[in-house]
Amino acid sequence: MRDTKVHEFLKTVLKNMPNDWLRLTTHRLDIYDEALAKTQFLEAFEALYQNNDATASNLKALPTAFDYIRLGHPLSCVLEWGIAKLNGVTADQVISFSSRTIPMMAVLRKNQLDNKNTRILYTEKLPPMFDVDTLRKVYGYQFELTKIETGATISAFDGSTIYSSETDAIHAIETFENVDFTITSNAALGSIIVIHDMKDETYIPAIQHVRRRETIAMTPSNCLSALQHLVGVPSTEDQFKVEKNKAAVLDAIQKITASPTDALLASSGLSIQYAIMMGLIDEAMKKHPGKPIKIIVPPNCYGGTNDQARRVAASIGAVEIVDLPVDGDNDMVQSIDRVLTTVAAEDAIPYIIAEIPTNPRVEVPNLQQLKAVLSTKRRTGEGNTAIDPVFILDQTFCPNVQFLASDGILNSVRAISYVSGSKFPSGGKCTAGYCVANAAGAGLMPKIKKHLQLCDNEATHLQVQILAAQLPSMNQRIKEAYSNTREFVNFIKENLPEAKINFVSETLAAEGFTPSVFSLDLPTKGDTDEERETYKRALNLKLIDMMITEIPSESKYCVSYGQLKGCYWTIPATSTQGTTKEGDKDYIARVSVSPDLDLERHKSVFLQFLKEI
């Protein structure tokens, strides 16, 4: 397999590529077109290839690849494109993963939902974390597993056939008759799945969606290594002080959270959330066989959380989603009390996922009341003691609050806290996330670790190194970002008092809740509700467009926050809430402020915006 033109072009690309391809978790947001995010980059890249043009200036001008590093990024797209070119398939038939097991699990999930048989073939060995028993009993995946000799004839099969191989040359794809999916994996890099059978094109979006919601794409640094290997140029092998870095990260997280457990480090926030969810389901099946499992989740929370939970429920018969209204006119404590009473009556197992502060309304419930409601002993319909809940807390907005300390507000209930590392922990430098438990929930951590490892979703060495460098300054960055946010909020209140701003009170801030995110409900006008809503939505976009146009070096259109520099703007309904029901979406502006930005310039542009409305 040697195509000189492809190899030479890729060599030039690697020589001239922008540094941002390696170091940004979100690439070129100033030229981001969401509707074209999955296609635009490769279409433009293909045009450069046809013109044999890999100049640095034109590579830098390429549009954004996908929407976030979890789903894909420039180097993953280039790697997939290169492998596709060399194997005579389309680029969307090649999908890279940081995980070695999840590509197989993605096919297994789709085939389970489609009631289709799956056969997994391998020659030497499967990835060591591929736990057949757990995949069958907990995830519900059914499959045949067969070791074959190299060069053996592969018979036809009524269903899907996956061929899996562990190899140093992850880009070297073998094709066989009667094989629908080829997966090559490498312990240092991740894996590549090639979809050969295109009779059912729904496999491509299904596999991509698993990558988006339960894991991440192969990381930029690992994609670079794979590309260097592919074209035969020397790779720059990083030397990581693995144990030292991990010890530093665990120590930093312990100081930040005051949790009695060691943190588990994952490749992303959703990776750790998936491990939590599957670990708790495993625990429930073992300790309470046959009982229904209820995942209680706000319908308007972060779309990744919402979507992942519902996807798990769709594929595991014992699991059901229960909506938990928490924002606006709904009180989180009252909603939890009502839902837990209902779940107890059904003798079901309650797992609650909630964000504090909430997203996007940035609300904090009465914590003493929350503790009381979570600690209340309830009865089943038959009068027996109900199973107590596990409170799964997404505290990405305020990772500095010590909920799980021995004297923390949640010390009397089983609680697990997790944080998306792409925000404050890494300052936007990597996606790695983590979770910890309090003393009451510590016994759940081994199960969570088991599923984190099964999914091969642990943080990479580079991600851990980045966290080791960034976590020690996190609390100070949170403090400085909050100070900027408070000043910006007060400025908007003073100059546009009729706007509705959702942000923490000074009292809550004094208690340690110092987020750097606020939501802005701009004043509107019109004779009908529809006219007023339409006007407000247009005004939101006008403000955001003005900010990113006037301050392109700092203001970005992005869902993220906790970055080291700049100001991020988004509309939750079209970004973070993308998978929620339409009636639960928030068409408001959400603003996140960093510790380092030209706040006076942002104020000036906001005043300019007011003059134009």
Side-chain angles (χ1 to χ4, degrees):
M1 179 181 65
R2 178 80 186 179
D3 186 312
T4 303
K5 182 181 178 182
V6 171
H7 277 77
E8 291 306 312
F9 180 71
L10 286 175
K11 284 182 182 179
T12 308
V13 169
L14 297 184
K15 179 182 176 182
N16 294 337
M17 71 178 194
N19 289 332
D20 285 354
W21 285 14
L22 265 180
R23 66 182 184 86
L24 291 185
T25 55
T26 45
H27 175 67
R28 289 306 303 275
L29 293 167
D30 54 321
I31 52 173
Y32 174 50
D33 186 338
E34 186 173 19
L36 302 175
K38 295 182 182 180
T39 58
Q40 196 178 29
F41 177 89
L42 275 186
E43 288 173 357
F45 187 79
E46 174 71 26
L48 292 182
Y49 169 71
Q50 295 299 331
N51 293 325
N52 197 27
D53 178 1
T55 56
S57 59
N58 283 336
L59 290 175
K60 185 177 181 180
L62 285 171
T64 299
F66 293 96
D67 65 341
Y68 196 58
I69 201 170
R70 264 199 341 265
L71 180 56
H73 50 86
L75 282 170
S76 70
C77 290
V78 171
L79 175 62
E80 292 158 6
W81 176 90
I83 291 173
K85 280 287 185 186
L86 296 173
N87 287 276
V89 297
T90 62
D92 59 356
Q93 288 175 254
V94 184
I95 304 172
S96 68
F97 285 80
S98 182
S99 165
R100 287 175 282 166
T101 55
I102 284 194
M104 279 184 277
M105 294 168 67
V107 177
L108 288 169
R109 169 183 269 175
K110 176 166 170 53
N111 283 355
Q112 178 213 42
L113 293 173
D114 292 349
N115 198 27
K116 188 174 181 179
N117 298 324
T118 309
R119 174 177 63 171
I120 299 173
L121 307 177
Y122 65 101
T123 50
E124 298 297 326
K125 58 183 179 180
L126 286 167
M129 66 290 296
F130 192 78
D131 184 339
V132 173
D133 189 58
T134 300
L135 287 170
R136 286 174 172 156
K137 291 180 179 178
V138 179
Y139 293 75
Y141 299 151
Q142 300 305 311
F143 52 94
E144 296 181 16
L145 186 63
T146 306
K147 184 175 183 178
I148 62 173
E149 297 296 323
T150 302
T153 300
I154 298 173
S155 61
F157 178 72
D158 181 19
S160 297
T161 296
I162 301 169
Y163 176 77
S164 172
S165 66
E166 291 254 322
T167 174
D168 290 334
I170 197 170
H171 58 277
I173 306 299
E174 297 182 86
T175 57
F176 306 93
E177 188 174 1
N178 296 320
V179 168
D180 305 302
F181 305 91
T182 298
I183 298 173
T184 57
S185 60
N186 178 281
L189 302 178
S191 62
I192 302 283
I193 182 170
V194 178
I195 303 159
H196 300 293
D197 180 9
M198 290 296 288
K199 293 190 293 292
D200 184 353
E201 294 187 8
T202 61
Y203 276 104
I204 291 172
I207 294 170
Q208 283 183 334
H209 203 72
V210 168
R211 183 170 77 172
R212 179 179 193 142
R213 289 304 188 218
E214 281 85 45
T215 185
I216 62 170
M218 188 184 295
T219 63
S221 61
N222 286 349
C223 285
L224 177 60
S225 295
L227 280 162
Q228 288 169 333
H229 196 178
L230 187 155
V231 300
V233 301
S235 60
T236 50
E237 299 295 335
D238 292 314
Q239 298 299 316
F240 299 108
K241 298 175 181 177
V242 178
E243 295 305 318
K244 180 180 179 181
N245 287 336
K246 185 172 182 180
V249 170
L250 296 183
D251 181 62
I253 293 173
Q254 200 284 323
K255 288 176 180 174
I256 291 164
T257 64
S259 166
T261 68
D262 278 345
L264 297 174
L265 309 179
S267 60
S268 72
L270 282 178
S271 295
I272 197 63
Q273 182 186 282
Y274 191 50
I276 292 168
M277 202 171 308
M278 296 311 302
L280 293 184
I281 289 169
D282 191 349
E283 176 83 359
M285 289 179 172
K286 294 284 196 308
K287 288 196 171 180
H288 308 285
K291 290 192 176 183
I293 301 165
K294 307 288 187 178
I295 299 177
I296 302 161
V297 61
N300 70 328
C301 71
Y302 169 57
T305 296
N306 212 313
D307 190 32
Q308 186 190 97
R310 294 174 194 278
R311 286 161 55 79
V312 168
S315 60
I316 301 177
V319 179
E320 182 183 348
I321 297 297
V322 178
D323 285 346
L324 179 72
V326 299
D327 264 327
D329 296 331
N330 300 292
D331 178 80
M332 180 187 291
V333 173
Q334 292 176 5
S335 294
I336 288 176
D337 189 23
R338 183 172 60 252
V339 168
L340 287 180
T341 299
T342 302
V343 171
E346 299 173 13
D347 195 15
I349 303 161
Y351 295 142
I352 304 168
I353 303 177
E355 297 164 299
I356 299 177
T358 60
N359 176 24
R361 298 287 175 173
V362 201
E363 295 175 350
V364 177
N366 183 304
L367 296 177
Q368 291 296 339
Q369 292 178 7
L370 175 66
K371 178 178 181 177
V373 163
L374 291 171
S375 304
T376 298
K377 301 299 181 185
R378 293 176 173 82
R379 294 286 176 181
T380 68
E382 296 179 353
N384 299 316
T385 301
I387 299 166
D388 61 308
V390 176
F391 192 68
I392 308 161
L393 172 62
D394 179 351
Q395 65 172 104
T396 301
F397 273 178
C398 285
N400 57 319
V401 179
Q402 296 184 339
F403 283 97
L404 306 187
S406 59
D407 58 350
I409 195 68
L410 296 178
N411 63 351
S412 64
V413 300
R414 291 192 294 168
I416 296 162
S417 161
Y418 69 101
V419 176
S420 170
S422 63
K423 313 303 190 295
F424 274 116
S426 77
K429 288 179 172 285
C430 73
T431 60
Y434 60 83
C435 83
V436 290
N438 64 0
L444 301 168
M445 292 293 276
K447 277 287 196 296
I448 297 169
K449 182 178 182 179
K450 167 186 169 181
H451 287 266
L452 182 63
Q453 293 176 334
L454 184 157
C455 295
D456 196 27
N457 266 342
E458 291 183 286
T460 68
H461 294 334
L462 177 57
Q463 288 179 325
V464 176
Q465 178 173 284
I466 291 171
L467 290 181
Q470 295 299 319
L471 274 168
S473 66
M474 184 176 81
N475 280 1
Q476 182 62 30
R477 285 185 276 117
I478 288 173
K479 181 179 178 181
E480 293 169 359
Y482 166 76
S483 178
N484 284 336
T485 310
R486 176 64 69 186
E487 186 175 340
F488 200 13
V489 165
N490 289 343
F491 174 81
I492 295 171
K493 284 181 178 178
E494 181 181 339
N495 290 277
L496 190 63
E498 60 269 38
K500 182 181 178 183
I501 299 177
N502 291 97
F503 192 51
V504 292
S505 66
E506 298 274 8
T507 302
L508 279 170
E511 294 175 8
F513 289 94
T514 53
S516 59
V517 180
F518 68 95
S519 64
L520 180 61
D521 219 347
L522 293 169
T524 188
K525 57 186 177 182
D527 295 328
T528 66
D529 289 342
E530 184 178 0
E531 287 178 359
R532 286 187 286 273
E533 183 66 22
T534 300
Y535 181 87
K536 184 189 75 172
R537 293 185 188 185
L539 207 57
N540 286 338
L541 293 174
K542 179 180 176 66
L543 172 61
I544 294 174
D545 288 343
M546 184 175 289
M547 284 290 180
I548 64 177
T549 300
E550 295 294 326
I551 322 174
S553 62
E554 290 194 358
S555 261
K556 307 292 184 186
Y557 191 48
C558 180
V559 305
S560 200
Y561 48 90
Q563 265 68 8
L564 301 178
K565 184 178 177 63
C567 186
Y568 287 68
W569 303 75
T570 191
I571 308 293
T574 60
S575 55
T576 63
Q577 293 179 324
T579 58
T580 61
K581 298 190 291 288
E582 185 61 31
D584 293 319
K585 292 183 178 182
D586 290 279
Y587 286 90
I588 54 179
R590 198 188 77 183
V591 191
S592 60
V593 180
S594 78
D596 180 12
L597 83 163
D598 187 345
L599 188 54
E600 295 308 312
R601 179 71 178 127
H602 283 76
K603 291 178 182 178
S604 174
V605 174
F606 192 84
L607 289 178
Q608 181 183 335
F609 165 74
L610 295 184
K611 290 177 182 178
E612 295 188 12
I613 64 171

